[in-house]
Amino acid sequence: MRRFRWWVGGALVLVILLVGAFLVVGNNPAPAPGPPEGVPRVLVALGDSTISGESAGDYEVGTDGEDGNWCHRSRHATIHQTALIGIDDTVNLACSGAPSAQVGLGEARQYTEGSQARRLGALARQKRVVAVLVSVGANDDPGFARVLDACVQAWFDRDKPGCAESAGKDWPGKVDAMVPKVLDAINDIRDVMRDAGYRPTDYQLVLQSYAAPISPDALDSLRNLNGCPFRADDLRWVRESAVPLLTEGARRVARESGARFLDLSRAGLGREACSREDASQEWFSRLSVRWADLQDDARATHALQESFHPNAAGHTAFGRCLGEFLATSDRAAACLPGDTGDLHAATSIGP
């Protein structure tokens, strides 16, 4: 009997140990194996038009309207301009007009393309992703492009309120509604990188904010169809209210997600559309019309798509600032002009 009791007691102890081990393993999954080795080191961009390269020209084949794809991924886009040493390639997965759901793992499609995060996950298994740059949110509840269009329409019809009045009242609430959607997209990016074997410390994740494309400093001589058909109060609202609130929304996402944050809200000061007599000195496109597209019914609705976006010179400036930021361990920085006018990543405290 004693021998039987000893056997039962020993069995119970063994069961308890096995169950405990199972619980420990279940609550602490095995660490990610790490990124692939012996493969090219790459930087990757995800997001919408401000990062795809809309207006920078020289678009990748297949993204300039072919078969309905208007993602406008430019070879001059920010991700290609960092000048970082030790990077073998740069990959642009962004798409003009993309909402957060298409950047993340949602079922949304943008100009025929599906999830950007899913494509990132596949790429991360083939190449060593060093950093992921993301800029997204303006096409969610804020609908920034539509608001700018409303600003232009208000210039034509002085009897109607300007966009500062028509959009300004609801703008804070729309930015608030945007934040959780962008946060979901960032978390999806984290998930696909983890599933590809990456630990959070194996790559950098940078959330970039938006730069103001227009400002109240626009030359009076250019506040027309030759450049920037906006009312003065609308120009002021875009730079001093709309873009700063978008920036704070992105900053909140960076803080909650643990992503690094690069503030571009003041990056274009003095270089906005219509701020100079010479457009080549500006970093944003003015009202732009692709006249040849107006002759093609399939392309005519996109003839104005490039208007008021960073141009090739702007992307070059932003890319150099991004490269400077990636080379540091700072959690957050703002791209600001130095004494020579070139942008530099000025450290800020926390995201």
Side-chain angles (χ1 to χ4, degrees):
M1 181 64 70
R2 288 179 180 175
R3 185 175 301 170
F4 175 74
R5 288 176 179 172
W6 177 88
W7 182 86
V8 171
L12 286 173
V13 170
L14 180 60
V15 168
I16 291 172
L17 290 174
L18 289 174
V19 170
F22 174 77
L23 289 174
V24 169
V25 172
N27 289 330
N28 296 277
E37 298 180 1
V39 295
R41 295 166 55 84
V42 301
L43 304 178
V44 185
L46 282 74
D48 54 29
S49 60
T50 196
I51 200 168
S52 73
E54 181 72 72
S55 177
D58 194 15
Y59 302 120
E60 295 178 11
V61 175
T63 70
D64 190 21
E66 298 91 335
D67 298 320
N69 188 320
W70 289 92
C71 286
H72 275 179
R73 284 193 285 272
S74 172
R75 295 177 179 84
H76 303 297
T78 295
I79 198 67
H80 304 312
Q81 308 298 326
T82 65
L84 278 178
I85 298 174
I87 299 300
D88 300 305
D89 197 7
T90 49
V91 180
N92 190 353
L93 300 179
C95 183
S96 186
S100 292
Q102 193 259 346
V103 173
L105 291 172
E107 295 303 316
R109 299 186 69 81
Q110 180 64 20
Y111 292 139
T112 74
E113 295 192 355
S115 166
Q116 295 179 30
R118 195 166 288 118
R119 294 176 65 189
L120 170 66
L123 176 69
R125 289 176 170 84
Q126 302 167 358
K127 298 182 179 181
R128 171 69 165 87
V129 174
V130 175
V132 180
L133 175 66
V134 186
S135 185
V136 68
N139 293 308
D140 292 325
D141 300 79
F144 194 33
R146 294 194 302 273
V147 169
L148 289 180
D149 181 64
C151 293
V152 173
Q153 295 301 321
W155 179 84
F156 282 97
D157 191 348
R158 296 288 174 165
D159 294 331
K160 292 184 177 179
C163 60
E165 182 179 345
S166 61
K169 179 178 64 175
D170 298 328
W171 192 253
K174 289 184 176 182
V175 171
D176 286 342
M178 171 198 83
V179 168
K181 296 174 182 178
V182 177
L183 183 59
D184 285 345
I186 294 296
N187 288 336
D188 285 347
I189 291 169
R190 291 281 197 200
D191 288 345
V192 299
M193 292 298 287
R194 182 199 62 223
D195 293 345
Y198 290 67
R199 298 173 292 267
T201 54
D202 288 328
Y203 66 100
Q204 297 187 51
L205 178 57
V206 177
L207 180 61
Q208 174 182 293
S209 70
Y210 295 89
I214 53 178
S215 84
D217 299 325
L219 301 177
D220 290 342
S221 60
L222 293 172
R223 284 178 46 209
N224 51 49
L225 292 177
N226 290 323
C228 299
F230 294 97
R231 299 182 187 182
D233 53 347
D234 290 343
L235 289 168
R236 185 173 299 104
W237 175 75
V238 168
R239 189 177 77 175
E240 298 179 3
S241 296
V243 169
L245 282 172
L246 272 178
T247 300
E248 288 311 306
R251 194 188 307 275
R252 284 159 55 190
V253 173
R255 186 180 299 117
E256 292 184 38
S257 66
R260 300 179 71 193
F261 182 64
L262 187 60
D263 179 359
L264 259 64
S265 62
R266 294 165 289 169
L269 286 177
R271 298 279 189 168
E272 300 96 340
C274 301
S275 61
R276 308 280 183 104
E277 290 286 356
D278 184 356
S280 67
Q281 296 180 10
E282 297 168 357
W283 289 348
F284 300 84
S285 58
R286 301 174 179 181
L287 182 66
S288 303
V289 182
R290 297 177 72 174
W291 297 104
D293 286 355
L294 291 176
Q295 303 172 24
D296 184 335
D297 290 343
R299 302 179 66 87
T301 56
H302 297 273
L304 296 171
Q305 185 171 315
E306 295 180 332
S307 302
F308 309 116
H309 284 85
N311 57 27
H315 278 279
T316 297
F318 301 159
R320 293 293 189 268
C321 181
L322 170 65
E324 190 175 296
F325 179 54
L326 289 174
T328 73
S329 59
D330 298 331
R331 295 300 308 162
C335 289
L336 299 174
D339 294 337
T340 62
D342 295 329
L343 292 181
H344 295 285
T347 303
S348 56
I349 301 174

